[in-house]
Amino acid sequence: MRWFFAFISFLGVTVCSMMRVNVSVAMAIMAKASHVTSNSSEAMSHDNSNSTIDETEFDWSSKTQELLIAAFWIGYTLMQIPSGYLADRIGGKWLMSCGVSVSAIFNILGPIAARNGVAIFFFTRCCSGLGEGVLIPCVATMVNKWSPAQERTRLMSFVTAALAFGTAAGQSLSGVICRYLGWPISFYIHGAIGLAWVASWVVLVYEEPSLHPCISDKEKDYIEKHRSYALGVSSRVRPPIVSMLTSLPAVALFVCMFTAAGVVYLLLLTNLPLYMKHVIGFDIMAVGLLSSLPYICHWLMLQVSSHVSDSLIGRNLLSRTMTRKLMADLGIVILIRNISLVMVILQGAIITAGGLILVCTQVSTAPSITVLLMTIAAGGIGISFSTAFVNAIDLAPIFSGTLTGIANFIAVSSGFMAPLVVGALTQDQNDSRGWHIVFYGIAAVDLFGALFFHAFGSGDVQEWAVVAEEEKNANDVTRSDHECKDGEGYIALST
């Protein structure tokens, strides 16, 4: 049943990813390419020499387009910390149900809003982001309740791999729908899928194993015995926010999330369709299909690296801390036990950064190589993700939702800041030179994040999290003593 829970969660993250990327694909056909020179006008004419040009409705500048893309991430970012706190205190099931429902409804309202003004469309995108902002903190909290410690990386990576899988599926589906049915229909279909998933989540998923009517006693006992989640702890102990923000391992997690899961992943997520449409010159259907390839590679590499991580930890080949560091920046690890650690170093950061840098030299002559290099770069990010999204559970199991919320807040803040920078650098969207600057910047940020996490990251439970749990236990003992003295609850305590 724990893997059934993981599968339904995977579908939920997939659906949310599809809804969030739909606007990026649709934007390539909704709005004309922003151009500032005569050469750009010629490129635009070539770029739009297909049947989809007649469906272009809006004359939005590059800055306006990027602002509308950023609107989702503004709402998404603002919800991270509140949703993490709420998930720890009230649980993730119903919070996630409400959030995804809100996002789906505002996704359906997107076409109506866009045709009534930029400001209204901006508002709906922001509200959609607010709804989806509960996603990752809720997932982290519930995975912590449902996963034995030795399966934690695999289960969490399986669920969060849906970020890439959903991106690939969403971009492919959006491209086909926009090409044959029109861009408004893509908003309606994705929103309807979101509401359908919420219905299945409410019926099929339970907050934790003890509440599930169909789980076997054997599996329930196994999960509860081996998981790191302590029932009732985080609902009665305040998260030590100051300690979280000043702990070097936690700061290393924040940096890793901001660089790999934030700047690198989100910039590719939101801008790859525009790049392929306006610079490489693919039509809208090709944009949807080809821009999904990097995320398929990302998904596959995340699955492989998560299994490698659990194997290294489970067989005592490496400590949890060393495993997290390796997966943050390594592609392939070869271990010789009891002799030495031999590594074929294909760093995830170098794979990503190298692919993006090579794109800058290949784009004008080899579109197919550009797509291949983007795919390799996304695979490198997938390796890093096997650390990024599980490390909060490593550091503070009883506050995993809160810590994940803070980390994801920092990560996705780049989702609304970076597009504004991209819009300023690519005012002529057909000019590859502005995009080259963007890719060089992404590569530099990615390398910095890998080095910082390698220096200061950890996979061990932090002292401030242990102290909080001990305080809770001490309070429980004191409360029990008072109950015995008052003659209340004596039978229950004895039992």
Side-chain angles (χ1 to χ4, degrees):
M1 294 310 300
R2 64 188 182 275
W3 285 101
F4 179 75
F5 153 76
F7 175 70
I8 300 298
S9 301
F10 174 89
L11 293 180
V13 178
T14 297
V15 168
C16 288
S17 297
M18 291 171 65
M19 288 193 292
R20 76 175 62 165
V21 302
N22 171 62
V23 70
S24 297
V25 177
M27 190 70 71
I29 188 175
M30 292 168 64
K32 299 177 182 178
S34 178
H35 60 286
V36 296
T37 67
S38 58
N39 291 336
S40 299
S41 300
E42 294 174 4
M44 176 183 152
S45 176
H46 171 72
D47 176 55
N48 287 328
S49 59
N50 55 71
S51 60
T52 61
I53 189 172
D54 294 332
E55 298 185 36
T56 299
E57 291 191 29
F58 308 106
D59 189 15
W60 293 333
S61 68
S62 172
K63 290 183 179 180
T64 300
Q65 292 179 45
E66 294 290 344
L67 181 63
L68 290 171
I69 289 174
F72 174 92
W73 300 105
I74 293 173
Y76 190 84
T77 302
L78 292 175
M79 262 318 278
Q80 293 303 305
I81 296 177
S83 62
Y85 179 77
L86 289 172
D88 277 341
R89 297 187 72 84
I90 67 173
K93 175 180 177 178
W94 293 106
L95 185 61
M96 194 162 168
S97 302
C98 295
V100 178
S101 297
V102 168
S103 183
I105 290 170
F106 279 100
N107 206 68
I108 292 172
L109 295 174
I112 299 173
R115 287 166 173 165
N116 281 276
V118 171
I120 299 177
F121 190 40
F122 180 93
F123 175 77
T124 60
R125 295 306 303 160
C126 189
C127 289
S128 183
L130 284 170
E132 276 194 38
V134 307
L135 184 66
I136 297 302
C138 287
V139 164
T141 298
M142 293 189 69
V143 164
N144 199 19
K145 296 175 181 179
W146 276 90
S147 62
Q150 58 268 40
E151 296 178 6
R152 182 195 303 157
T153 307
R154 271 177 293 171
L155 202 147
M156 186 66 176
S157 295
F158 175 76
V159 175
T160 56
L163 292 168
F165 183 82
T167 298
Q171 288 179 334
S172 300
L173 181 61
S174 295
V176 173
I177 295 173
C178 288
R179 176 66 177 83
Y180 292 106
L181 301 177
W183 65 264
I185 304 299
S186 67
F187 283 87
Y188 303 146
I189 290 178
H190 284 91
I193 293 174
L195 293 176
W197 175 83
V198 170
S200 67
W201 171 264
V202 169
V203 173
L204 299 174
V205 172
Y206 292 81
E207 186 68 36
E208 58 178 283
S210 63
L211 300 176
H212 203 294
C214 300
I215 192 171
S216 67
D217 291 337
K218 181 179 179 180
E219 183 181 14
K220 182 180 69 174
D221 293 341
Y222 173 70
I223 295 172
E224 292 180 346
K225 181 179 179 181
H226 293 94
R227 67 185 178 183
S228 55
Y229 171 77
L231 183 63
V233 171
S234 55
S235 64
R236 284 185 282 190
V237 180
R238 288 186 178 182
I241 300 297
V242 175
S243 297
M244 289 181 180
L245 297 179
T246 56
S247 168
L248 263 182
V251 172
L253 168 63
F254 301 154
V255 171
C256 181
M257 288 286 287
F258 180 80
T259 55
V263 174
V264 182
Y265 184 78
L266 294 183
L267 273 183
L268 291 181
L269 172 79
T270 56
N271 287 283
L272 195 55
L274 295 175
Y275 176 76
M276 288 186 170
K277 177 80 160 52
H278 300 310
V279 177
I280 301 179
F282 293 137
D283 64 28
I284 189 63
M285 187 169 178
V287 166
L289 294 174
L290 294 177
S291 62
S292 68
L293 292 179
Y295 297 97
I296 294 175
C297 182
H298 173 100
W299 174 65
L300 291 173
M301 292 306 298
L302 179 52
Q303 297 306 306
V304 171
S305 59
S306 65
H307 279 76
V308 171
S309 294
D310 276 344
S311 295
L312 293 176
I313 296 170
R315 297 178 183 180
N316 295 319
L317 296 174
L318 286 177
S319 68
R320 191 179 300 275
T321 294
M322 190 58 186
T323 300
R324 296 296 182 237
K325 290 184 177 182
L326 284 173
M327 290 303 123
D329 57 11
L330 298 183
I332 297 177
V333 180
I334 299 177
L335 298 169
I336 300 180
R337 192 177 184 182
N338 298 327
I339 301 176
S340 63
L341 176 64
V342 181
M343 297 175 292
V344 179
I345 303 180
L346 293 176
Q347 294 192 1
I350 292 178
I351 293 172
T352 304
L356 293 173
I357 291 172
L358 288 173
V359 163
C360 301
T361 63
Q362 296 290 339
V363 61
S364 60
T365 57
S368 59
I369 294 179
T370 299
V371 175
L372 175 62
L373 294 174
M374 284 290 192
T375 302
I376 294 172
I381 306 171
I383 299 171
S384 299
F385 266 38
S386 64
T387 285
F389 281 100
V390 77
N391 195 227
I393 303 177
D394 295 331
L395 301 179
I398 63 173
F399 302 120
S400 57
T402 301
L403 188 58
T404 299
I406 295 173
N408 218 34
F409 170 84
I410 293 171
V412 300
S413 62
S414 63
F416 68 84
M417 292 188 297
L420 302 180
V421 176
V422 173
L425 293 173
T426 60
Q427 294 186 48
D428 181 355
Q429 291 178 309
N430 300 107
D431 188 351
S432 63
R433 289 174 295 181
W435 290 100
H436 290 180
I437 298 174
V438 171
F439 293 141
Y440 283 130
I442 294 175
V445 168
D446 189 42
L447 288 173
F448 168 77
L451 291 172
F452 192 94
F453 187 86
H454 194 82
F456 302 110
S458 175
D460 299 327
V461 178
Q462 296 302 292
E463 183 179 356
W464 43 266
V466 175
V467 169
E469 184 169 1
E470 289 175 348
E471 288 178 354
K472 181 265 176 186
N473 292 335
N475 290 336
D476 284 353
V477 171
T478 302
R479 186 180 301 108
S480 298
D481 290 342
H482 286 308
E483 288 173 349
C484 290
K485 290 177 182 178
D486 294 338
E488 297 177 1
Y490 179 77
I491 295 177
L493 288 169
S494 299
T495 303

